[in-house]
Amino acid sequence: MELKNEPFSKKSRLLYLDHIKVFLILLVVAHHAGQAYGPIDDWPLASSEKSAILGPFFDVNGAFFMGLFFLISAYFIPASIDKRGVYSFIKSRFIRLGIPFIVVVIVLFGPITYFVDGVSGSFWEYMIFDYIGTLDFEIGHLWFIALLFFLSVCYALVRVIMKIPNPTKSRSLGHKQLFLFSLSLIIANMLIRIWFPVGEWVNISPFMPVEVGRLPQYISFFAFGILAYRSNWLENIPIKTGVIWFIIGIIAAAMHYLNVLTGLRSVYIWLVLEGFIGVGLIIGILVIGREFANKRGKLLAFMAENAFAVYIIHIFVVYILQGAMEEIPSGALTKFFIVSILASLLSFLFSHLIRKIPTMKKVL
């Protein structure tokens, strides 16, 4: 996951993008913290206590937060290739994305899988012949890193093969363009989910499981990030436009909460709302962040520096806390808030300590 920006040619660093990533990281931690207490039992540590309100919370998050991660990550790619060249760019991507991915998948997920699944036989035989030998990897939340690396390399190769000129021109986006983008995303989601509903994962490779039903969101916002850099969209979207689309996103999200909690769960209504939630919240957050969150204090600087490492390690902290909370009698929402807050605090603390190791700081 590229939460650590590459150097780029613009003199003024876009601090608000770092701040948005901090917000998104906290949302990711909360999203995973809530999985044990939500209405769907597809989490390794599912609690016996459930809260229905976490269902729409997951839905709304899924409509925009990973798409915004892809957009911000992609935004810095063209300048990095312009400055470094394709080979150096891919090498840098591998160091920052590939190495943490490999270490976690092999060194952490491998042993955890062995002990949690209660595999019989030698640990080393399992690791060498079953886990690594058959390419039967546990990827977990690192699917994002794998997909981001893949899309980044694809873009770099397109630059080489097609030799596309990449001038930077100043353009803006208006309501018409954003509405058409929302409509295109809605139609793409409708079509692909005929075959791949949300929640169905496909192993495109042993290293890259993908929730195909959300691919239109991820790919379109990755492309949006590339185009946003070339056209200066993030700098030129008017404040009024950003605020209006943020309100659209909030209203669509509120409608989904209302629909779910009153028993109206129409797939078609959700697909329409999902498109406007995604585009509305993403555009709104970017513009509002640009206008009101472009100054940095010590706390935000600390959190921004550790955001990538938090994404890597937070899942293990969440698992431990969810397991510990099962021994405490309290409601699902209470446990959700406690795990979210403690996991966030501990993840940033551990990330800070890990990054003090010189070799770790180079990749995290």
Side-chain angles (χ1 to χ4, degrees):
M1 178 181 194
E2 185 52 307
L3 299 175
K4 198 170 186 177
N5 295 339
E6 285 295 319
F8 62 108
S9 59
K10 297 181 180 180
K11 292 182 180 179
S12 60
R13 184 177 172 87
L14 302 174
L15 295 178
Y16 73 92
L17 294 181
D18 280 346
H19 301 159
I20 290 173
K21 289 184 289 187
V22 169
F23 161 71
L24 292 175
I25 279 294
L26 293 173
L27 194 55
V28 166
V29 175
H31 187 90
H32 287 148
Q35 291 292 317
Y37 312 111
I40 301 175
D41 293 321
D42 61 351
W43 193 249
L45 296 170
S47 173
S48 57
E49 297 174 283
K50 301 290 183 179
S51 174
I53 200 171
L54 289 175
F57 173 71
F58 300 147
D59 293 337
V60 170
N61 289 346
F64 85 97
F65 72 156
M66 299 312 294
L68 185 48
F69 266 135
F70 277 109
L71 187 158
I72 295 174
S73 299
Y75 183 81
F76 295 96
I77 291 175
S80 184
I81 295 178
D82 292 346
K83 183 174 182 177
R84 296 171 177 270
V86 170
Y87 173 77
S88 180
F89 167 77
I90 294 177
K91 179 181 177 182
S92 172
R93 291 303 84 186
F94 179 77
I95 292 173
R96 293 187 183 276
L97 300 176
I99 290 178
F101 178 88
I102 292 170
V103 169
V104 173
V105 168
I106 302 298
V107 177
L108 295 178
F109 278 151
I112 289 173
T113 302
Y114 174 81
F115 289 109
V116 170
D117 291 351
V119 178
S120 60
S122 165
F123 168 75
W124 291 111
E125 286 182 357
Y126 167 77
M127 288 295 298
I128 295 171
F129 298 108
D130 294 335
Y131 190 72
I132 298 174
T134 63
L135 303 180
D136 185 21
F137 299 118
E138 173 61 44
I139 306 300
H141 65 301
L142 301 186
W143 66 266
F144 174 76
I145 293 180
L147 183 56
L148 178 58
F149 180 74
F150 175 76
L151 293 176
S152 301
V153 171
C154 286
Y155 171 73
L157 294 178
V158 167
R159 287 273 300 265
V160 171
I161 295 170
M162 301 186 68
K163 300 186 183 301
I164 301 173
N166 289 283
T168 301
K169 297 181 180 179
S170 185
R171 298 189 180 96
S172 185
L173 288 175
H175 296 298
K176 179 181 177 181
Q177 291 87 353
L178 292 172
F179 176 80
L180 291 175
F181 181 35
S182 303
L183 187 61
S184 300
L185 185 58
I186 291 167
I187 293 171
N189 283 337
M190 284 182 174
L191 291 175
I192 202 163
R193 289 179 192 175
I194 295 173
W195 299 280
F196 299 99
V198 168
E200 182 173 324
W201 291 77
V202 175
N203 289 323
I204 294 178
S205 80
F207 305 97
M208 194 167 67
V210 175
E211 191 177 16
V212 180
R214 294 198 189 276
L215 269 183
Q217 176 196 153
Y218 302 152
I219 294 173
S220 62
F221 281 110
F222 181 88
F224 188 106
I226 298 290
L227 295 172
Y229 176 81
R230 290 301 177 193
S231 300
N232 287 321
W233 283 344
L234 301 192
E235 292 82 0
N236 294 324
I237 298 175
I239 300 175
K240 183 177 180 181
T241 300
V243 171
I244 289 174
W245 277 88
F246 183 71
I247 293 172
I248 290 172
I250 292 293
I251 291 174
M255 289 176 64
H256 181 60
Y257 270 89
L258 184 62
N259 288 344
V260 171
L261 297 179
T262 56
L264 180 61
R265 297 188 61 93
S266 169
V267 173
Y268 299 105
I269 293 176
W270 164 240
L271 285 168
V272 173
L273 293 177
E274 181 184 19
F276 286 106
I277 290 170
V279 176
L281 292 185
I282 286 174
I283 296 300
I285 289 170
L286 288 169
V287 172
I288 292 171
R290 181 192 71 196
E291 297 298 322
F292 302 105
N294 207 30
K295 294 182 180 180
R296 172 169 294 177
K298 290 184 178 180
L299 177 60
L300 278 176
F302 168 81
M303 296 178 78
E305 289 172 357
N306 287 279
F308 181 44
V310 168
Y311 183 84
I312 296 291
I313 71 165
H314 80 277
I315 201 73
F316 306 106
V317 180
V318 167
Y319 283 155
I320 292 171
L321 289 173
Q322 286 173 338
M325 287 300 296
E326 279 303 289
E327 305 302 320
I328 301 175
S330 60
L333 284 179
T334 300
K335 291 182 177 181
F336 162 64
F337 284 115
I338 291 174
V339 173
S340 296
I341 293 169
L342 289 180
S344 297
L345 293 173
L346 292 174
S347 294
F348 275 100
L349 173 62
F350 293 150
S351 297
H352 173 67
L353 296 175
I354 291 170
R355 292 182 71 251
K356 281 186 171 294
I357 304 171
T359 53
M360 289 295 181
K361 195 167 185 178
K362 291 180 180 179
V363 296
L364 297 177

